[in-house]
C-alpha cells in the first residue's frame, strides 16, 4: 500500500513538472494559431480585397476592422491572465474569527493544529500555513491560490480570484474571434471542393485550409468552456467548488446572478455607474490588485 502511494505521488510530481515545462510552448502555440489566422484572413484573402472596389471592398474593410478589434481584445485578455497573479495567501495569515464555523470568538493557536481536519479553519500541509475559505493548493504552481478555479496550461498560470475576469474575457473574445475567422474563411473553404480553379499559391491555399480547420475546432471547444464558466459565475462558484455545491442545499456564496457577476468588477464606488461597470466588464482593465486579497480572506 505504501509503495503504491509513493508511486502515485511520484507520477503526480512528474505530471506537474511536465506542466511547468509546457509554459513557453503553450504561449508559442497560441501565438502560432493567431499568426496562421492573421496570414489567412488579412494577408491572403481580405487584405487584397480592399483594392477590389465595390461591395467586395466594403466587406473586406468590415471583416478586417472587426478582426483586428477582436484580436486586440483577445491578446489583451490573454496576456492579462498570463501575467496577473491569481492571488495568494499572505505570509503568516490567520483569521480573526472562525469563518467556517461562523463564530465571533477570536481563534487561538490550539484551534488550528497542523493536522486539523475538523472542517473549520483549514490548514495546508504543503505550504505549512492556514487556508482561507475557497482557497486551494495548486501542485503545479506550488502554492495556495485564493478562490482557485483551476490551473490552465494554455495561460501558464492558475485561474483564481485576481485574474478570473481576464480568463472569462479571454474565452469570450477567443470564441468571437475564432467564429469570425471561421465564417469569413467558409466561402474559401467551400471553394476547395468545387470544380472551378482556385486562385492562389499552394502555400496560401494550405494556410487558408489550416486556419479554417483550427478556428472551427477552437470555436466549438471554447464555446463549451465559455458556457460552463458563465454558469459558474452566475452561481458564484468555481470549477473545484462545483462538486461541493451539488452536495450543499444552499450555496453560501450565491448572492444572486447580478451581484455574482458584479463581483468580477472592482468593489470601488466609482464603478457603480452602469457605463463604467459595463466598460470594466467588457475590457480587461484591472478589477483587483494584490492589496485587494482581503476580499477573499
Amino acid at each position: 500500500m505504501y509503495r503504491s502511494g509513493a508511486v502515485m505521488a511520484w507520477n503526480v510530481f512528474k505530471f506537474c513538472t511536465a506542466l511547468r515545462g509546457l509554459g513557453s510552448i503553450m504561449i508559442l502555440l497560441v501565438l502560432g494559431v493567431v499568426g496562421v489566422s492573421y496570414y489567412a484572413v488579412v494577408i491572403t484573402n481580405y487584405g487584397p480585397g480592399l483594392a477590389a472596389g465595390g461591395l467586395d471592398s466594403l466587406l473586406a474593410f468590415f471583416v478586417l476592422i472587426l478582426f483586428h478589434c477582436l484580436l486586440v481584445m483577445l491578446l489583451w485578455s490573454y496576456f492579462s491572465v498570463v501575467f496577473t497573479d491569481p492571488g495568494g495567501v499572505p505570509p503568516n495569515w490567520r483569521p480573526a474569527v472562525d469563518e467556517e464555523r461562523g463564530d465571533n470568538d477570536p481563534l487561538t493557536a490550539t484551534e488550528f493544529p497542523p493536522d486539523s481536519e475538523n472542517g473549520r479553519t483549514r490548514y495546508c500541509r504543503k505550504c505549512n500555513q492556514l487556508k482561507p475559505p475557497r482557497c486551494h493548493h495548486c501542485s503545479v504552481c506550488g502554492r495556495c491560490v485564493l478562490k482557485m478555479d483551476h490551473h490552465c496550461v494554455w495561460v501558464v498560470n492558475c485561474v483564481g480570484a485576481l485574474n478570473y475576469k481576464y480568463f472569462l474575457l479571454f474565452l469570450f473574445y477567443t470564441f468571437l474571434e475564432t467564429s469570425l475567422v471561421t465564417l469569413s474563411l467558409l466561402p474559401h473553404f467551400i471553394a476547395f471542393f468545387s470544380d472551378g480553379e482556385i486562385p492562389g499559391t499552394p502555400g496560401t491555399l494550405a494556410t487558408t485550409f489550416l486556419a479554417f480547420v483550427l478556428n472551427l475546432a477552437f470555436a466549438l471547444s471554447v464555446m463549451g468552456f465559455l458556457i460552463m464558466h458563465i454558469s459558474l459565475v452566475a452561481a458564484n462558484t468555481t470549477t473545484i467548488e462545483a462538486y461541493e455545491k451539488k452536495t450543499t442545499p444552499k450555496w453560501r456564496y450565491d448572492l444572486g446572478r447580478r451581484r455574482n457577476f458584479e463581483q468580477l468588477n472592482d468593489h470601488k464606488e466609482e464603478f457603480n455607474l452602469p457605463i463604467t461597470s459595463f466598460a470594466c466588464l467588457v475590457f480587461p482593465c484591472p478589477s483587483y490588485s494584490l492589496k485587494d486579497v482581503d476580499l477573499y480572506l
Side-chain angles (χ1 to χ4, degrees):
M1 179 68 69
Y2 174 78
R3 182 186 176 120
S4 172
V7 171
M8 181 177 295
W10 174 246
N11 290 337
V12 171
F13 173 76
K14 289 194 297 183
F15 177 71
C16 294
T17 304
L19 287 181
R20 295 190 192 102
L22 280 176
S24 57
I25 297 177
M26 300 307 292
I27 293 179
L28 291 177
L29 181 59
V30 171
L31 294 179
V33 174
V34 170
V36 170
S37 302
Y38 191 92
Y39 184 83
V41 174
V42 179
I43 307 298
T44 301
N45 293 293
Y46 287 91
L50 288 175
L55 187 60
D56 291 339
S57 179
L58 184 61
L59 176 63
F61 178 77
F62 174 76
V63 170
L64 290 175
I65 290 294
L66 189 57
F67 175 86
H68 283 91
C69 290
L70 291 177
L71 181 60
V72 168
M73 300 303 295
L74 187 158
L75 293 177
W76 185 4
S77 302
Y78 177 70
F79 285 108
S80 294
V81 185
V82 172
F83 294 113
T84 300
D85 191 304
V89 182
N92 303 319
W93 173 84
R94 56 175 289 160
V97 296
D98 190 339
E99 298 181 14
E100 297 288 339
R101 184 178 54 189
D103 293 348
N104 293 322
D105 301 329
L107 292 173
T108 61
T110 58
E111 291 186 85
F112 42 84
D115 59 348
S116 175
E117 297 181 357
N118 55 16
R120 289 185 274 182
T121 302
R122 300 181 302 153
Y123 191 86
C124 180
R125 302 181 187 221
K126 296 180 180 179
C127 296
N128 196 29
Q129 66 178 7
L130 295 173
K131 290 200 298 185
R134 314 190 77 178
C135 178
H136 297 276
H137 183 87
C138 176
S139 299
V140 181
C141 296
R143 63 167 180 157
C144 288
V145 176
L146 297 176
K147 198 182 177 183
M148 178 180 172
D149 188 89
H150 69 290
H151 185 93
C152 181
V153 295
W154 288 99
V155 302
V156 203
N157 198 2
C158 263
V159 178
L162 303 186
N163 65 351
Y164 185 82
K165 186 186 82 169
Y166 303 145
F167 177 75
L168 189 64
L169 289 177
F170 168 59
L171 293 180
F172 177 67
Y173 288 118
T174 299
F175 172 69
L176 293 182
E177 178 77 338
T178 53
S179 298
L180 174 65
V181 174
T182 301
L183 292 175
S184 62
L185 295 182
L186 181 60
H188 305 277
F189 180 78
I190 295 176
F192 281 105
F193 304 95
S194 64
D195 296 331
E197 183 179 352
I198 306 175
T201 65
T204 58
L205 296 178
T207 304
T208 299
F209 186 90
L210 178 62
F212 176 85
V213 173
L214 286 176
N215 281 272
L216 176 62
F218 275 106
L220 294 176
S221 59
V222 169
M223 179 177 65
F225 282 108
L226 180 62
I227 293 174
M228 182 189 76
H229 279 280
I230 289 177
S231 65
L232 291 176
V233 174
N236 201 349
T237 186
T238 64
T239 302
I240 295 177
E241 295 169 342
Y243 175 77
E244 180 183 352
K245 179 176 177 292
K246 290 180 180 179
T247 60
T248 305
K250 179 174 175 56
W251 186 239
R252 59 181 296 185
Y253 301 108
D254 189 358
L255 306 176
R257 291 185 180 180
R258 179 175 179 178
R259 293 186 61 189
N260 291 339
F261 275 96
E262 286 176 349
Q263 281 194 346
L264 291 176
N265 285 333
D266 205 330
H267 286 246
K268 297 177 183 178
E269 293 182 358
E270 58 262 35
F271 289 95
N272 288 335
L273 295 177
I275 186 170
T276 50
S277 295
F278 176 77
C280 280
L281 188 61
V282 173
F283 292 92
C285 53
S287 294
Y288 303 100
S289 61
L290 292 179
K291 66 181 180 180
D292 297 315
V293 296
D294 291 340
L295 296 168
Y296 293 94
L297 297 178

